[in-house]
């Protein structure tokens, strides 16, 4: 009996050990099945992604490229990350004893990469669903899309695009569940247990971060829209709620400025904002400089000296015209087009991309004022309403988004600016190279192209010396020829008035009005441009030298001194003839009356030279004061009226038109006009 009682506990103990081993075996089996489920579902999931990226996306060419970018987002990046993840996951199968621990370590290794790619996809998921809803409103387009999806993925059914787009979201949220299932079938004292615990917590954090990022993007998309509203539309949006909110913010800001309440300090954000403002200023300055450069380039291209005739039939001048025409129509025009496409347009896009962050920074300041006020209320009351809590979360989301993405944005803008500047430099270098090549080709046709450099230098020095002597001679000749006095043409019928003032005051007192004068005072005169007046006093009664007292021949008054110019009296024809000795007897003022013969040349073409002129080239003729001149053409070949083609003493040439005056109409000798 005693022996039998002793054997009974050992049998019970053996039975318990057997049950424990059976339980461990079942847990180990479920653990392996859970690992295998992870691998098998990963294979199926990756295959579905590849179908979406290759077969379905490539067949939806009827949709715009922008829609495809939103629908499939960064699916290519997800495929790259999950392909490496699956490869490493499958390699753990050959190490059965360490497989579970390796799986946990693998998730910890891919934690950051999975979060980066999936948060981008999840952030654009809602926008993709909006596109799907718009497609459903177009039956023909919806049937086309549905037919493509059913042909590639029959199990999608009537859900179509919605079934495919939600797959990445389902996968990233399923990873913690699959890991948790493996963890539940792992004994707590196993070495893989703490690794699996960390992996489960890591994947849960990944999903939490993705949700927070998605919420931030939704807030950002709400405030980054820059709306161009009219004043009426802005006034229509004003209501009691907005007025109350803006008044509260203004009150909060005034309290901070007055030092009544503290201001929230955020050194990290302040540094990022300062960096962003500096980058924005660089973009704005560069855009303004490029715009000015393009305007100057356009002005430069408007000047085409090669299109003007230089009256040189051949030689280097013709080669210069050909080179300038070639550069104008090809080299510079191509450079301008490339500059606009590769520098100006990217710069405008970059400046436009700055508007969103600028608006977010502005909104953050408004939300910060709301947040500070709510924090004060929370300390005083201990609670806030649901809407106020949402406002607190909005500020936190905006601040977190800016702190997280402003560094990347600033860095990207600096890289973009650097690339634009490098492109600009490259375009300038290409232009210089192209111009040099064309110039060398044109220089090869010059007669002195093969002359040795020393001989060419000597040739240039001799040519410059001769040209310098010609220029000096021309300068000396030009200085001898005084320019004609600048006078305004007399008004019709004012010759008699001018003669009366001349006889009364003398030539030194006559002045001519250079622009219309409107009198404002009682003693001020109103005179037209070209009026001849005589100076009575060069200051008014108060001693102001800017107002002169003048006589018009009928009225006296004050006029501005700055609008008067000394009048140079043009001598009459008789005086000119007297000066050059045409009248032999100075006592004989008028010849005996005799009929005047009809002139052989029309009187409209017969003029006299009122100033001497020295010809400076073979195209010009010299004049003497008082010399009769016949006008052949009252302009030069280019239609310039400042030069006239005349005939003098049988010679033809050009003279300045201002050196000529019309001869008086022939009258009978002995007759005179009444004074």
């Amino acid at each position: 009996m005693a022996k039998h009682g002793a054997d009974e506990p050992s049998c019970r103990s053996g039975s318990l050990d057997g049950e424990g081993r059976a339980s461990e075996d079942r847990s180990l089996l479920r653990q392996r099945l859970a690992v295998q489920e992870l691998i098998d579902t990963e294979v199926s999931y990756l295959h579905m992604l590849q179908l979406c990226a290759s077969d379905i996306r490539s067949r939806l060419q009827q949709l715009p490229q922008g829609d495809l970018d939103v629908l499939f987002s960064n699916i290519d990046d997800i495929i790259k990350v999950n392909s490496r993840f699956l490869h490493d996951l499958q390699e753990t199968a050959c190490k059965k004893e360490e497989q579970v621990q390796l799986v946990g370590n693998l998730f910890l290794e891919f934690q950051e990469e999975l979060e980066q790619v999936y948060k981008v996809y999840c952030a654009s998921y809602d926008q993709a669903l909006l596109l799907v809803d718009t497609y459903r409103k177009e039956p023909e387009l919806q049937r086309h899309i549905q037919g493509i999806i059913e042909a590639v993925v029959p199990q999608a059914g009537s859900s179509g695009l919605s079934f495919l787009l939600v797959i990445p979201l389902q996968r990233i949220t399923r990873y913690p569940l699959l890991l948790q299932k493996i963890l539940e079938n792992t004994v707590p004292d196993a070495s893989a247990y703490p690794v699996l615990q960390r992996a489960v917590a890591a994947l849960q954090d990944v999903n939490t971060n993705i949700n927070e990022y998605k919420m931030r993007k939704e807030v950002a998309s709400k405030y980054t829209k820059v709306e161009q509203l009219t004043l009426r539309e802005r006034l229509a949006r004003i209501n009691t709620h907005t007025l109350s909110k803006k008044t509260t913010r203004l009150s909060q800001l005034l309290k901070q400025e007055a030092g009544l309440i503290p201001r929230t300090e955020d050194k990290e954000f302040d540094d990022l904002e300062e960096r962003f403002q500096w980058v924005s200023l660089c973009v704005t300055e560069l855009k303004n400089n490029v715009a000015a450069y393009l305007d100057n380039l356009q002005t430069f291209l408007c000047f085409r000296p090669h299109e003007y005739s230089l009256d040189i039939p051949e030689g280097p001048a013709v080669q210069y015209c050909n080179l300038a025409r070639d550069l104008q129509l090809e080299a510079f025009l191509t450079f301008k087009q490339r500059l606009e496409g590769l520098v100006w347009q990217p710069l405008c896009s970059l400046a436009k991309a700055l508007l969103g962050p600028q608006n977010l920074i502005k909104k953050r300041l408004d939300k910060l004022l709301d947040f500070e006020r709510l924090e004060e209320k929370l300390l005083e009351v201990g609670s806030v309403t649901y809407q106020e809590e949402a406002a607190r979360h909005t500020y936190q989301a905006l601040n977190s988004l800016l702190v997280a993405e402003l560094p990347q944005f600033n860095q990207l803008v600096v890289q973009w600016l650097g690339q634009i500047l490098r492109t600009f430099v490259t375009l300038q270098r290409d232009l210089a190279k192209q111009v040099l090549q064309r110039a060398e080709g044109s220089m090869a046709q010059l007669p002195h192209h093969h002359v040795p450099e020393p001989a060419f230098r000597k040739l240039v020095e001799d040519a410059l010396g001769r040209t310098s002597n010609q220029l000096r001679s021309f300068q000396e000749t030009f200085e001898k020829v005084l320019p004609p006095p600048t006078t305004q043409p007399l008004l019709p019928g004012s010759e008699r008035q001018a003669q009366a003032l001349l006889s009364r005051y003398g030539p030194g007192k006559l002045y001519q009005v250079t622009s219309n004068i409107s009198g404002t005072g009682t003693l001020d005169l109103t005179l037209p441009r070209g009026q001849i007046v005589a100076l009575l006093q060069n200051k008014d009664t108060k001693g102001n030298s800017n107002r002169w007292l003048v006589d018009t021949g009928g009225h006296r008054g004050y006029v501005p001194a700055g609008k008067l110019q000394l009048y140079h009296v043009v001598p009459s024809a008789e005086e000119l003839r007297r000066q050059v000795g045409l009248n032999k007897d100075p006592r004989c003022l008028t010849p005996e009356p005799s009929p005047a013969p009809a002139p052989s040349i029309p009187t409209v073409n017969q003029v006299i030279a009122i100033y001497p002129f020295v010809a400076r080239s073979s195209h010009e003729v010299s004049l003497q004061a008082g010399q009769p001149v016949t006008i052949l053409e009252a302009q030069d070949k280019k239609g310039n009226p400042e030069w006239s083609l005349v005939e003098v003493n049988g010679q033809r040439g050009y003279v300045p038109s201002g050196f000529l005056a019309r001869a008086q109409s022939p009258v009978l000798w002995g007759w005179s006009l009444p004074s």
Side-chain angles (χ1 to χ4, degrees):
M1 291 292 296
K3 186 176 182 180
H4 179 73
D7 292 340
E8 187 174 359
S10 69
C11 293
R12 188 178 296 113
S13 146
S15 173
L16 291 175
D17 292 341
E19 290 178 0
R21 283 193 299 270
S23 176
E24 290 179 4
D25 292 341
R26 286 194 298 272
S27 297
L28 183 60
L29 178 60
R30 287 194 294 269
Q31 182 190 74
R32 291 178 178 175
L33 290 176
V35 173
Q36 190 62 39
E37 180 185 3
L38 171 64
I39 298 175
D40 293 342
T41 53
E42 187 69 19
V43 172
S44 176
Y45 166 67
L46 187 59
H47 176 66
M48 189 65 69
L49 291 182
Q50 291 170 343
L51 289 178
C52 292
S54 58
D55 295 354
I56 296 178
R57 184 172 58 180
S58 61
R59 297 185 185 183
L60 293 177
Q61 296 301 320
Q62 187 175 353
L63 299 178
Q65 184 61 40
D67 288 9
L68 294 177
D69 293 339
V70 173
L71 290 173
F72 297 97
S73 188
N74 64 328
I75 193 172
D76 295 324
D77 297 333
I78 296 177
I79 291 175
K80 292 178 182 179
V81 173
N82 280 82
S83 296
R84 291 190 291 105
F85 177 72
L86 177 60
H87 176 267
D88 295 346
L89 199 61
Q90 289 174 335
E91 285 190 347
T92 62
C94 61
K95 300 176 181 179
K96 294 294 184 181
E97 297 180 356
E98 302 176 0
Q99 185 178 15
V100 177
Q101 186 172 354
L102 292 174
V103 169
N105 288 328
L106 193 59
F107 272 99
L108 293 175
E109 180 183 346
F110 277 83
Q111 175 187 357
E112 293 185 3
E113 289 188 74
L114 291 173
E115 180 178 336
Q116 290 297 325
V117 295
Y118 278 94
K119 73 178 183 181
V120 175
Y121 185 89
C122 294
S124 62
Y125 175 71
D126 292 340
Q127 190 176 358
L129 291 182
L130 293 177
L131 284 177
V132 173
D133 291 337
T134 58
Y135 299 153
R136 289 173 180 167
K137 297 178 182 178
E138 301 181 20
E140 185 176 352
L141 179 60
Q142 177 64 18
R143 285 193 297 270
H144 175 72
I145 296 174
Q146 190 66 24
I148 293 175
I149 295 176
E150 290 180 355
V152 179
V153 187
Q155 62 268 33
S158 59
S159 300
L161 273 175
S162 301
F163 173 82
L164 299 176
L165 297 178
V166 78
I167 290 177
L169 275 71
Q170 294 174 338
R171 188 61 183 173
I172 193 63
T173 56
R174 193 177 179 188
Y175 282 140
L177 301 178
L178 293 172
L179 282 173
Q180 183 65 33
K181 189 174 182 180
I182 298 174
L183 179 63
E184 292 174 353
N185 293 282
T186 303
V187 293
D189 57 348
S191 59
Y193 194 85
V195 177
L196 289 174
Q197 282 184 320
R198 292 198 303 272
V200 171
L203 267 295
Q204 289 174 347
D205 291 341
V206 167
N207 282 275
T208 302
N209 295 338
I210 289 175
N211 289 332
E212 292 182 358
Y213 181 80
K214 187 172 181 294
M215 183 186 68
R216 296 173 191 169
K217 282 295 184 180
E218 291 174 354
V219 173
S221 63
K222 176 182 178 181
Y223 293 113
T224 50
K225 296 178 181 178
V226 181
E227 297 179 323
Q228 302 296 334
L229 301 178
T230 62
L231 180 60
R232 179 176 296 181
E233 292 172 341
R234 293 180 183 275
L235 293 176
R237 293 191 176 188
I238 297 178
N239 50 39
T240 55
H241 174 70
T242 56
L243 287 175
S244 174
K245 184 168 60 176
K246 293 183 182 298
T247 303
T248 304
R249 290 173 180 171
L250 180 60
S251 174
Q252 186 78 8
L253 186 60
L254 291 176
K255 290 179 182 179
Q256 291 179 356
E257 294 294 335
L260 301 178
I261 57 176
R263 186 193 303 269
T264 302
E265 298 291 340
D266 191 341
K267 187 68 168 57
E268 182 181 8
F269 175 79
D270 292 341
D271 293 341
L272 291 174
E273 183 188 7
E274 182 179 0
R275 175 73 173 177
F276 172 79
Q277 298 299 343
W278 177 80
V279 170
S280 301
L281 180 62
C282 291
V283 174
T284 303
E285 289 294 329
L286 182 59
K287 183 181 177 183
N288 294 337
N289 291 335
V290 173
Y293 184 89
L294 284 172
D295 290 341
N296 294 334
L297 180 61
Q298 182 63 34
T299 304
F300 168 74
L301 293 177
C302 292
F303 292 97
R304 301 179 179 182
H306 54 275
E307 295 183 356
Y308 294 92
S309 175
L310 301 178
D311 295 332
I312 303 177
E314 58 184 7
V318 176
Q319 294 180 3
Y320 161 75
C321 291
N322 295 334
L323 176 61
R325 187 181 299 106
D326 190 19
L327 294 177
Q328 184 91 15
L329 299 179
E330 295 186 16
F332 292 128
L333 189 60
T334 303
F335 170 74
K336 181 175 179 293
Q337 294 173 350
R338 295 182 67 192
L339 186 66
E340 291 176 346
L342 299 178
V343 175
W344 175 247
Q345 293 180 1
L347 197 55
C348 292
S349 300
L350 181 58
K352 187 177 180 180
L354 295 173
L355 298 179
Q358 287 173 348
N359 201 31
L360 274 182
I361 292 174
K362 179 178 176 298
K363 290 296 181 181
R364 177 197 173 273
L365 176 60
D366 296 339
K367 300 301 179 182
L368 175 59
L369 296 173
D370 297 340
F371 178 80
E372 291 172 339
R373 181 180 59 84
L374 294 176
E375 287 294 306
E376 294 176 5
K377 180 180 179 181
L378 195 59
L379 291 176
E380 295 175 359
V381 181
S383 63
V384 292
T385 63
Y386 176 79
Q387 293 180 347
E388 292 173 339
E389 186 66 25
R392 293 179 69 252
H393 290 164
T394 299
Y395 163 73
Q396 292 171 344
L398 271 178
N399 188 70
S400 301
L401 180 67
L402 289 171
V403 170
E405 296 196 357
L406 269 183
Q408 302 176 12
F409 185 83
N410 292 338
Q411 183 180 3
L412 184 61
V413 172
V414 171
Q415 293 176 356
W416 203 346
L417 272 177
Q419 184 61 41
I420 290 175
L421 288 174
R422 285 191 290 270
T423 303
F424 182 74
V425 172
T426 303
L427 291 178
Q428 292 279 2
R429 185 177 59 209
D430 292 346
L431 175 65
K433 183 178 179 181
Q434 188 176 6
V435 171
L436 183 60
Q437 290 177 350
R438 295 173 184 266
E440 289 177 348
S442 179
M443 289 171 59
Q445 303 176 10
L446 294 175
H448 305 297
H449 176 66
H450 299 289
V451 177
E453 184 175 353
F456 181 75
R457 288 181 178 273
K458 183 65 170 56
L459 184 65
V460 171
E461 291 176 358
D462 295 342
L464 291 177
R466 290 193 301 270
T467 306
S468 177
N469 294 332
Q470 294 176 358
L471 182 61
R472 190 179 301 106
S473 175
F474 172 78
Q475 181 181 0
E476 294 174 354
T477 305
F478 182 79
E479 290 176 351
K480 294 178 181 178
V481 181
L482 296 177
T486 57
T487 59
Q488 300 292 338
L490 291 177
L491 297 175
S494 62
E495 291 86 353
R496 294 180 183 176
Q497 186 178 6
Q499 290 294 332
L501 292 174
L502 177 63
S503 61
R504 183 174 182 181
Y505 296 101
K509 293 288 186 177
L510 296 189
Y511 285 83
Q512 191 172 25
V513 179
T514 58
S515 60
N516 295 332
I517 299 176
S518 298
T520 57
T522 306
L523 299 178
D524 292 343
L525 296 178
T526 299
L527 302 177
R529 179 173 178 265
Q531 175 75 42
I532 303 298
V533 297
L535 176 64
L536 300 178
Q537 192 173 0
N538 59 356
K539 58 183 176 180
D540 59 9
T541 56
K542 296 181 180 180
N544 184 8
S545 59
N546 293 327
R547 296 175 73 239
W548 288 0
L549 179 64
V550 299
D551 181 9
T552 63
H555 299 86
R556 293 185 179 187
Y558 291 99
V559 294
K563 294 189 176 183
L564 296 179
Q565 175 181 308
L566 186 64
Y567 179 68
H568 296 272
V569 181
V570 178
S572 63
E574 292 183 2
E575 293 175 346
L576 290 174
R577 283 196 296 269
R578 189 182 304 114
Q579 292 174 4
V580 297
L582 294 181
N583 294 331
K584 300 295 184 179
D585 189 358
R587 295 172 298 176
C588 183
L589 298 179
T590 57
E592 293 295 330
S594 60
S600 60
I601 301 176
T603 58
V604 294
N605 290 336
Q606 186 68 41
V607 297
I608 59 174
I610 58 176
Y611 300 103
F613 176 70
V614 179
R616 297 165 293 184
S617 66
S618 59
H619 298 288
E620 301 172 355
V621 293
S622 299
L623 299 177
Q624 296 293 333
Q627 188 174 12
V629 178
T630 301
I631 297 180
L632 302 179
E633 292 182 9
Q635 58 187 9
D636 60 8
K637 292 182 178 180
K638 296 183 178 180
N640 184 9
E642 295 181 0
W643 291 86
S644 300
L645 180 62
V646 300
E647 183 176 356
V648 182
N649 297 330
Q651 296 183 354
R652 294 189 177 189
Y654 287 97
V655 296
S657 301
F659 283 49
L660 306 176
R662 295 288 182 186
Q664 295 181 355
S665 301
V667 295
L668 296 178
W669 296 105
W671 289 64
S672 63
L673 293 174
S675 59

